[in-house]
Amino acid sequence: MRVLFHIDYLIEIASAPQDDPLLSRCREKAVEGWVLPAYIPLLYQHLLQTMDDKGARASIRQVLSFLTLYPMTGMDIQEALISESTDFASSLTAGAAEAFNIDTVVTLNPQKFSKYEVKAVTPEEFLTLLTSGKPHLRRVPMLDMTASYHECLDHIEHEMFKVIRSSRFILGSTVQDLETKIANYCKADFAVGVSSGTDALLISLLALGIGEGDEVITTPFTFFATYGAIVRAGARPVFADIDSTTFNISFEKIEQAVTDKTKAILPVHLYGQCADMDPILELAKRKGIAVIEDAAQAIGAEYKNRKAGSLGDAGCFSFYPTKNLGGFGDAGMVTVSSAELYEKLKVLRVHGSQTRYIHDEVGGNFRLDALQAAILSARFDFLETWTEKRRTNADNYRRLFEQAGLTGLVKLPVESSGRHVYHQFVIRVWESKRNELKHFLEERGVSSEIYYPVPLHLQKCVMGSGYKMGDFPHAEKAAGETLALPISHEVTTDQLEYVVENIKNFFS
Ligand SMILES: *Cc1c(COP(=O)(O)O)cnc(C)c1O
C-alpha cells in the first residue's frame, strides 16, 4: 500500500520519528511511505525552533530512512500554485497523490482533501485501516511497476540527470557501462546495447549472415517477436514443438526439423527457464549451424551453472518495462563471446557504418538510448535481490499449493536444469477450466495472464506458410491450459496466500 505523508503530519512527528507507529509500519515495509521533497526544507525550518542544525538534520535523515522522496518537478509546483481547490500545500500533496497512484494521504486535516479523488485519512484512521479488514489490500496485480520505484527511484533519477546534464543521449559511455555490467553478469565477453529485444534478435540473425534461403528452427510457443525477427531477416522460420513439462523447445523435434538449409536454431528460454541447451549446442556444432538464445525472459537464468546469454553464439535480451530487468521504455541487448561477431553487431547497429557516413553494408538504427541505459544501470543493481524474491515467491506458491491440496488439480512449474528466474509462474489447469479460473480470480481482484493463447503456427500471418491445427499438439495444448500467476518481486506472501486461497475456492 502506497501512502503519502502530508506536511502537517510530518511536522507533528519529526522531533521523535523513531517513536511513531506509522513510520514503524513503513520501516517494516508493511506500508510504502512517500514524502514530497518540497516539504523537507519546511520541516527543517520547523525543527530549528527546538533544536540545532545537527539535530534537525539527524531527525530528517531518520524520517527519510523510512520514507521515499517523491520525484517532484517544477510543473507540480506550478500546478499547485494555480489550483484553487484548497491551500497550496494540500494542492501539492493531492496533485502528487493523483499523479502517482497513491492509495492514501495521511494528514491531520482530511477535510482539506475532500475535493480530490485521493483518499485522505487521519493517522489514527490509517492505523485502524491497517489492522482491520484491509479490503483494498486484496488486489493482486500481475505487476505493479511503480511499486519498486520505492526502492530505487533516487538512484534512477540520479543516473538520468547525469545523462541529461551531459547531453549524450545516444550510445556513449552510459550505454557502454550497461554493456559491461550485462556482459559480466551473463558471463559473456561482450554485450551490445540495442533498441529492443526484437531488434536484438534481428541484428543477431543479420550479424550471423542469416537471410534469404536460410531456415531457422524455433518454437511455436513464444512471443511473436521470435518469429517476426526471423521473417524480417529474410529467412524461413521452421517450428519444432515444445516439451510438455517445461514448455521449452524439444530437442527431438529440432532434430527432426533440421535440413541442409538450417542455418540457426533459436531456442527461447520461456518464462525464465533455460531450454535444454546441451544437446542443441552439440547438434549445432556437429552441423555447423548457429545458436541464438532468445533470453528476453531469462536474464540471470542458469543452465547447468552457465548463464543464459553465454550458451549460444548470441544471447538476446529485452528490457521492455515488464521484463525482469525493465527500463522506462524499449531497450535490448545482445551478448556474445566472439570478438568478430561483436564488431559486426556494433557496425550493424549504426546503419552498417564503421566510419561516420561511410557505409559498407546495410544495417539499421538499432541504437540504445543513453537515458534507458542509465535507468537500466540503476535498476540492474537490484536485479539479483528481485530475482531471489521471485524465486522465494515460487517456493511459497509450491508450499501453499501443496498445503491447499491443489497439486492434483493444477500442475506447477517444473525446474529442470538450473536456476529458473520466474519471469512468469505458469500453472497448468486441466479439464479446460483455465478460462473459468482466470475469470473467477479476476472477479476477486487477482490478475492472471495467458502466455500465449494462440501458438504461432496458428496465427493468421503464419498459417499461409502451410501450418495447420494439429501440427504442434504440445504447443496447442499448452495454449489452452496455461495460466501465469502474479510472481514479481513486489508480490507479498500475504498476496500469494490470497491467490492460492481463491484457487482453492474455485475448485471446491
Ligand atoms: C519480450 C520478448 C521479446 C521481444 O522483446 P521486445 O523488447 O519487446 O522487443 C522477444 N522474445 C520473447 C520471448 C519475449 O518475451
Side-chain angles (χ1 to χ4, degrees), residues 394-438:
D395 286 344
N396 284 330
Y397 262 136
R398 282 181 217 290
R399 178 177 52 78
L400 292 165
F401 272 105
E402 190 82 44
Q403 284 168 1
L406 285 168
T407 46
L409 293 160
V410 304
K411 198 160 174 263
L412 303 181
V414 174
E415 287 194 23
S416 64
S417 53
R419 190 190 198 208
H420 192 322
V421 294
Y422 291 99
H423 175 59
Q424 301 297 348
F425 186 89
V426 175
I427 62 168
R428 206 168 177 137
V429 186
W430 284 307
E431 295 173 25
S432 352
K433 282 207 179 282
R434 194 266 316 266
N435 292 354
E436 242 176 274
L437 172 62
K438 185 173 191 304

Side-chain angles (χ1 to χ4, degrees), residues 18-279:
Q18 67 282 2
D19 303 331
D20 184 67
L22 266 184
L23 285 194
S24 71
R25 299 307 298 269
C26 295
R27 184 181 44 214
E28 295 155 10
K29 298 200 159 68
V31 173
E32 206 182 276
W34 292 81
V35 54
L36 299 186
Y39 293 151
I40 302 303
L42 264 178
L43 205 54
Y44 172 75
Q45 288 302 332
H46 177 82
L47 289 168
L48 283 188
Q49 294 171 7
T50 52
M51 54 182 81
D52 62 3
D53 169 82
K54 211 168 150 210
R57 289 197 209 199
S59 280
I60 291 173
R61 276 211 305 273
Q62 189 152 27
V63 170
L64 290 184
S65 67
F66 306 141
L67 305 180
T68 309
L69 289 166
Y70 172 88
M72 227 173 132
T73 66
M75 279 306 285
D76 296 319
I77 293 182
Q78 299 285 6
E79 279 169 17
L81 278 173
I82 58 170
S83 157
E84 285 170 0
S85 300
T86 176
D87 64 279
F88 175 51
S90 308
S91 297
L92 209 52
T93 297
E98 285 179 0
F100 200 54
N101 288 324
I102 296 279
D103 301 294
T104 308
V105 168
V106 172
T107 170
L108 304 182
N109 299 295
Q111 72 281 1
K112 285 191 179 172
F113 292 84
S114 58
K115 291 215 177 92
Y116 295 95
E117 280 194 11
V118 65
K119 176 159 143 190
V121 297
T122 62
E124 296 73 31
E125 286 169 339
F126 188 66
L127 273 176
T128 324
L129 205 76
L130 273 182
T131 43
S132 68
K134 48 182 174 180
H136 58 294
L137 288 184
R138 295 315 202 184
R139 203 182 60 84
V140 194
M142 277 303 277
L143 195 63
D144 178 3
M145 272 174 281
T146 54
S148 47
Y149 295 173
H150 190 55
E151 305 164 81
C152 57
L153 205 54
D154 286 352
H155 207 54
I156 290 173
E157 276 194 312
H158 180 69
E159 295 300 318
M160 283 176 77
F161 274 92
K162 280 205 297 202
V163 173
I164 293 169
R165 285 167 189 154
S166 81
S167 292
R168 203 65 224 265
F169 292 116
I170 303 285
L171 299 176
S173 62
T174 316
V175 170
Q176 271 166 20
D177 290 348
L178 179 68
E179 290 172 341
T180 307
K181 279 187 181 183
I182 300 292
N184 290 340
Y185 181 69
C186 295
K187 305 258 187 323
D189 289 344
F190 311 98
V192 179
V194 293
S195 29
S196 69
T198 305
D199 284 343
L201 292 164
L202 176 56
I203 199 175
S204 300
L205 289 160
L206 298 178
L208 286 159
I210 292 156
E212 203 65 42
D214 300 333
E215 291 178 356
V216 178
I217 299 175
T218 194
T219 161
F221 196 57
T222 173
F223 179 56
F224 186 82
T226 319
Y227 171 87
I230 300 170
V231 175
R232 287 287 304 277
R236 193 170 91 84
V238 174
F239 292 124
D241 205 359
I242 56 169
D243 175 275
S244 62
T245 53
T246 64
F247 305 107
N248 275 322
I249 195 164
S250 144
F251 172 67
E252 285 71 34
K253 298 288 154 44
I254 293 178
E255 251 185 332
Q256 293 162 18
V258 172
T259 70
D260 51 11
K261 287 188 183 149
T262 307
K263 280 287 159 55
I265 304 171
L266 209 173
V268 177
H269 304 320
L270 199 70
Y271 304 148
Q273 168 155 263
C274 289
D276 190 13
M277 293 297 288
D278 273 346

Side-chain angles (χ1 to χ4, degrees), residues 378-389:
R379 286 171 71 84
F380 174 82
D381 298 340
F382 297 83
L383 179 63
E384 268 304 293
T385 315
W386 290 343
T387 302
E388 279 309 309
K389 182 68 199 312

Side-chain angles (χ1 to χ4, degrees), residues 298-332:
I299 191 159
E302 286 171 15
Y303 175 79
K304 299 184 181 169
N305 294 319
R306 284 131 69 200
K307 274 256 155 67
S310 72
L311 302 160
D313 295 277
C316 301
F317 294 91
S318 164
F319 304 127
Y320 185 78
T322 62
K323 298 286 154 83
N324 285 23
L325 176 60
F328 290 179
D330 279 311

